[in-house]
Amino acid sequence: MARVHVGAAHGPPDPPMSKAAMKYLLVRPKVPAPLDPNFCPLVLAKKQYLKLVGGSPFAVEWALPRADGCARGKLPVLADKHVDVDASIHLAGVLVQEMIWQRSASELLLFGPPKICEALQKAYSPEGKYAFEVKTMPKVCGTPSRPFPVRIVSSAAELPEAKDTKQVCGKDASGCRLAFDLGKSDIK
């Protein structure tokens, strides 16, 4: 029987998670979710990953500049030649995606081990795993005709400093409100 994608009609389903990523990232909670017994929370995946990889001398860093600031992230990663490097690539991609939707971005800048940065650059291309984010963020940022560039820099010093700006939300709680689900409560 063919696998049917029941999500949004923005593209094909994500490729399956690699065995390395499964080994490091799939952690079921002590109390299973009744509607999805295979649910694996991202927070538990990150906690387990950091326990296994936390002492690594390698890290991938990213910056997500936007008109009013810049979001920054950093993740310890396995060496490019490590047999399980796919776990680092997978989690870094998910964390960048989560941060893009939390803070917005007009581009993605990467620094770290070359294989990991190149894999993330490919994943954040118009044909990559995160093509939806690459195609949508320019519209979200009010620059629909501008592409979403993804660049690898040669030094962490080339990444812009983190700068968050206060965002005032509406204060009228009567009537209709819009809720936005950032997603990524689970890891797939």
Side-chain angles (χ1 to χ4, degrees), residues 6-50:
V6 294
H10 58 74
D14 288 343
M17 185 184 279
S18 71
K19 288 185 191 253
M22 284 187 217
K23 179 169 78 173
Y24 283 73
L25 303 174
L26 293 184
V27 182
R28 290 197 178 124
K30 290 178 184 171
V31 178
L35 298 177
D36 184 0
N38 292 322
F39 174 71
C40 295
L42 176 60
V43 66
L44 295 181
K46 187 175 176 185
K47 185 177 179 180
Q48 174 171 287
Y49 174 87
L50 291 174

